[in-house]
Amino acid sequence: MMSERLNILLKIVVVIATLIGILLSINMLFYLKLFGFNPIQNSYLYYILACFMPIAFLIFPAKKGQKVKWYDFIFASVSFAIVIYLGLNGQRMIMEGWDWNAPPLATYSSIILWGLLLEALRRTGGLVLSIICLLISLYPLIASEMPISFLQGQSYDFFTIARNHMMSANGVLGIALTTVGNLILGFLVFGVVLTHTGGGDFFFKLAQSLFGRFRGGEAKVSIVSSAFFGMLSGSAISNTITTGAMTIPAMKKSGYKPHYAGAIEAVASTGGTITPPIMGSAAFIMASFLAIPYYEIALAAAIPALLYYIGLIVQADGYAAKNNLKGLKKEDIPSFLETLKGGWYYLFALVLLVYFLVILNSEGQAPYYASLVLLVIAMINKTTRMNVKQLFNMFVEVGKVLAEIVCIIAGVGFIVGALSATGVSFSFSRELVAAAGDSMILILIGGALTSFILGMGMTVSAVYVFLAIIMAPALVAIGVDPVAAHLFVVYWATVSYITPPVALAAFAASGIAKANPMKTGFTAVRLGAVTFLVPFFFVYQPALIFRGEPLEIALSVISAIIGVFMLSSSLEGYLIGFGRMQNLFVRLIVLVAGLCMLIPGILTDVLGIALALIIYVPKLMKPVNVNIDEKQEV
């Protein structure tokens, strides 16, 4: 635990470094030039590293459960000294081309920082990600000797690679870390402020007041509250642990089996990473890669996220109907108006955030405005007012979150640097198109499998950055909409959170539910089946990501919603208006009907509707015999 690892003095150091880092970000994004300080971009990124990289060595142990050791202080101090030195020489670095030919001190500093950053990455992102980044960072040493043609590229000596990694605008200081410094930091601060001011409890009660009375109410509350919390935090694992502690026991108590309750929470929490307005960090990096405003990415992700949660709710509802599970007791359901009255400012902060994003197009500044408003209102309100100790702990948590993401994203820069310097990023996508024979479906399947496999050992951001360089251009080259191509990669990178053998979110939920991890994981795969299919459909039908005429978008959304409804009903074995589907042939027809509605085209839509009528019409023609399942509210 962080509280056991850090003493009060180290916590003070973390808070000071965190506040300086946030102040640096605000000074840069608001063009304040405080005290005449206005660093150029590369210096600014070094200073951000100077604030948060040392924190990683203090907060994250070299071994699990280990207290702070003497070498942690050395790592923290040396990393701080090196990045400050490089930051102070940012102007010289550009003018004199240090990324290719630097003074000896800068070169040796780059080598040491290379090793330290990989260690920080191991502590924050895990051993697998660190090893992958190490191997790829060394790849330019042997690029010209690779036996496979599309992996061949320009080779460099060790010192040149070190300089390029640590001082080039295409390496650690590349597009990924630039996005963190210019965009992501503020959103991470907003997420922590929202949590510490009671936002998690508010959204949980709001979901209870809206959905608690329906059958299987606890599961629907879990889904909606996790969607709310996840779209603001952007982290599947922390969302699972935070909201799951409340929702999983409640679902079990209402009648859901432990593995099913855990799977629902895991899938709902994972959906937060692909749900606007705040998605995972990959979405912000995507906006930088595509050079478009972030709100366009958020808008494009809105319909797929809606389909994702519709699929989950339909299955949770079908389970409740089959097992005759009731909703919450009336006395246990919070008043909607009272809940809104007690936490309206959380929604106000969210609306303010969206306003700044969409209307004013102030992406970097938006989360700071929203955080400030939320913090001020929370401090005025007696029920949410924090004392000095709580404020202090909040900034310790902010430091932990920012240190984690800064080190992970900086480490991912090794991938960008190695592939860019060797030129492989360009040749790989070209060779991929040639190997697939310009077949879109083959490239999509290959990309999906690659995203999934990489997602087992790498963060979503790391997978996205890697494939945005080598695979997304191949998709764009054969005519796929650029936003659809990049979203496809993100969606498939997230499925590893709920798919065995890794399934981190599902396994975390199984621990809370006291259920079998693998059983929870495979149940999560079924519940989250939509996320495996929808990316293929929005690639072939860009209207599902708001790329098209209004009428086309409306018809596509209606068709997709019906398709997801039928597909999810088939997977659960319960169809609203029909009842339990015990006949496998009936379930197969409903499954095919759902797929037909999802596949673009009028003919497939007509076929889907015809198959749905084959199921419903005979049922409707029978004498009315109300089933207990159908009496309850959905």
Side-chain angles (χ1 to χ4, degrees):
M1 293 290 290
M2 181 174 60
S3 58
E4 297 173 357
R5 179 171 165 82
L6 300 184
N7 58 34
I8 186 63
L9 185 60
L10 290 179
K11 286 184 179 180
I12 291 173
V13 171
V14 168
V15 169
I16 292 173
T18 299
L19 290 174
I20 292 173
I22 293 172
L23 192 61
L24 277 170
S25 175
I26 291 172
N27 182 62
M28 192 76 172
L29 296 174
F30 287 80
Y31 314 106
L32 299 180
K33 301 181 182 178
L34 293 172
F35 309 109
F37 185 68
N38 185 33
I40 61 174
Q41 183 69 27
N42 67 339
S43 293
Y44 164 65
L45 295 177
Y46 281 128
Y47 296 144
I48 289 295
L49 273 174
C51 290
F52 297 110
M53 191 172 163
I55 291 177
F57 292 115
L58 298 178
I59 290 181
F60 298 92
K63 295 179 182 178
K64 191 174 181 180
Q66 190 180 63
K67 292 186 179 297
V68 180
K69 298 291 185 180
W70 60 269
Y71 50 79
D72 294 323
F73 291 113
I74 292 177
F75 290 168
S77 301
V78 173
S79 62
F80 176 80
I82 290 175
V83 289
I84 287 293
Y85 161 69
L86 294 175
L88 291 172
N89 287 280
Q91 188 76 43
R92 280 188 65 193
M93 192 178 295
I94 294 174
M95 299 298 292
E96 299 175 13
W98 281 16
D99 49 338
W100 295 108
N101 188 19
L105 179 59
T107 300
Y108 295 136
S109 296
S110 295
I111 295 170
I112 296 170
L113 188 58
W114 184 356
L116 287 172
L117 184 53
L118 286 170
E119 170 59 12
L121 180 61
R122 183 188 69 82
R123 296 186 183 203
T124 54
L127 179 62
V128 174
L129 177 57
S130 182
I131 291 174
I132 290 172
C133 287
L134 169 63
L135 294 176
I136 294 178
S137 70
L138 293 171
Y139 169 68
L141 286 172
I142 58 169
S144 61
E145 308 300 324
M146 293 297 289
I148 304 173
S149 61
F150 61 82
L151 291 179
Q152 289 179 355
Q154 177 69 44
S155 287
Y156 301 94
D157 63 83
F158 182 76
F159 292 109
T160 301
I161 295 170
R163 289 189 289 262
N164 197 260
H165 278 320
M166 305 314 303
M167 292 184 280
S168 166
N170 291 321
V172 168
L173 300 184
I175 194 168
L177 189 61
T178 300
T179 305
V180 171
N182 294 346
L183 206 57
I184 298 176
L185 284 184
F187 284 93
L188 294 173
V189 170
F190 176 71
V192 176
V193 170
L194 183 82
T195 303
H196 278 257
T197 54
D201 290 336
F202 166 73
F203 285 118
F204 181 69
K205 288 181 180 178
L206 185 67
Q208 280 187 317
S209 67
L210 290 171
F211 298 96
R213 68 181 181 275
F214 300 121
R215 69 184 177 204
E218 293 287 13
K220 289 167 186 172
V221 168
S222 169
I223 294 167
V224 175
S225 61
S226 294
F228 274 129
F229 191 80
M231 72 185 185
L232 298 171
S233 72
S235 172
I237 308 301
S238 64
N239 189 6
T240 299
I241 295 169
T242 305
T243 59
M246 296 182 289
T247 60
I248 291 174
M251 283 189 279
K252 287 172 63 178
K253 188 177 179 181
S254 70
Y256 283 89
K257 291 182 179 178
H259 71 278
Y260 202 99
I264 286 177
E265 178 57 45
V267 176
S269 295
T270 298
T273 63
I274 50 176
T275 304
I278 305 175
M279 303 156 68
S281 55
F284 295 97
I285 300 172
M286 187 193 310
S288 297
F289 262 113
L290 293 171
I292 61 176
Y294 170 71
Y295 77 83
E296 289 191 27
I297 302 295
L299 184 65
I303 295 172
L306 174 66
L307 298 176
Y308 180 94
Y309 280 108
I310 287 175
L312 181 55
I313 286 177
V314 167
Q315 291 183 78
D317 176 71
Y319 184 96
K322 290 192 300 181
N323 294 277
N324 196 27
L325 305 184
K326 312 293 184 183
L328 288 169
K329 295 178 181 178
K330 190 174 182 180
E331 58 269 22
D332 294 333
I333 300 175
S335 164
F336 174 72
L337 292 177
E338 288 298 317
T339 302
L340 207 57
K341 183 180 177 182
W344 60 270
Y345 42 89
Y346 298 112
L347 295 178
F348 175 71
L350 195 58
V351 171
L352 185 68
L353 184 72
V354 174
Y355 174 77
F356 274 98
L357 281 174
V358 179
I359 306 299
L360 300 184
N361 199 22
S362 302
E363 296 175 339
Q365 300 169 356
Y368 286 116
Y369 281 122
S371 298
L372 180 62
V373 168
L374 188 56
L375 200 54
V376 169
I377 296 175
M379 293 302 287
I380 294 173
N381 191 328
K382 290 182 180 180
T383 58
T384 56
R385 184 179 300 160
M386 289 183 281
N387 56 34
V388 175
K389 183 178 180 181
Q390 289 170 322
L391 273 172
F392 180 80
N393 289 333
M394 182 186 78
F395 280 106
V396 173
E397 179 66 21
V398 170
K400 178 179 181 292
V401 171
L402 297 186
E404 183 177 17
I405 197 69
V406 165
C407 289
I408 289 174
I409 298 300
V412 169
F414 288 125
I415 298 174
V416 180
L419 296 178
S420 298
T422 57
V424 168
S425 57
F426 306 104
S427 61
F428 192 96
S429 58
R430 184 178 63 249
E431 293 290 338
L432 184 62
V433 172
D438 291 346
S439 171
M440 185 184 296
I441 190 63
L442 286 179
I443 294 178
L444 288 174
I445 292 172
L449 291 174
T450 305
S451 301
F452 171 69
I453 292 168
L454 291 176
M456 292 180 182
M458 299 167 66
T459 63
V460 173
S461 300
V463 175
Y464 168 70
V465 169
F466 181 72
L467 293 180
I469 295 171
I470 65 170
M471 196 199 79
L475 290 171
V476 174
I478 58 174
V480 176
D481 181 273
V483 174
H486 285 254
L487 265 182
F488 180 89
V489 172
V490 172
Y491 260 74
W492 267 93
T494 61
V495 301
S496 63
Y497 282 126
I498 59 171
T499 310
V502 181
L504 294 178
F507 289 174
S510 70
I512 299 172
K514 294 180 174 60
N516 181 288
M518 294 304 288
K519 192 173 184 181
T520 304
F522 284 115
T523 304
V525 169
R526 175 168 62 80
L527 292 173
V530 170
T531 198
F532 294 90
L533 298 174
V534 165
F536 286 94
F537 295 127
F538 65 59
V539 165
Y540 282 97
Q541 192 171 15
L544 291 177
I545 55 171
F546 283 106
R547 320 292 273 194
E549 296 299 321
L551 181 60
E552 181 189 5
I553 292 171
L555 292 175
S556 297
V557 171
I558 292 170
S559 175
I561 289 174
I562 296 171
V564 167
F565 169 76
M566 300 294 284
L567 177 66
S568 301
S569 298
S570 173
L571 291 171
E572 188 55 51
Y574 183 90
L575 181 65
I576 295 173
F578 181 90
R580 188 190 295 265
M581 292 184 286
Q582 295 176 318
N583 189 308
L584 289 178
F585 182 68
V586 171
R587 289 180 69 170
L588 182 61
I589 291 176
V590 174
L591 177 69
V592 173
L595 290 173
C596 286
M597 295 300 293
L598 282 167
I599 295 171
I602 296 175
L603 289 177
T604 52
D605 285 351
V606 170
L607 178 59
I609 292 171
L611 290 172
L613 289 174
I614 290 173
I615 298 298
Y616 273 117
V617 170
K619 184 78 172 179
L620 295 173
M621 293 178 67
K622 289 182 179 180
V624 178
N625 181 19
V626 180
N627 188 297
I628 189 170
D629 289 341
E630 301 304 322
K631 286 182 179 179
Q632 290 186 287
E633 292 180 276
V634 176

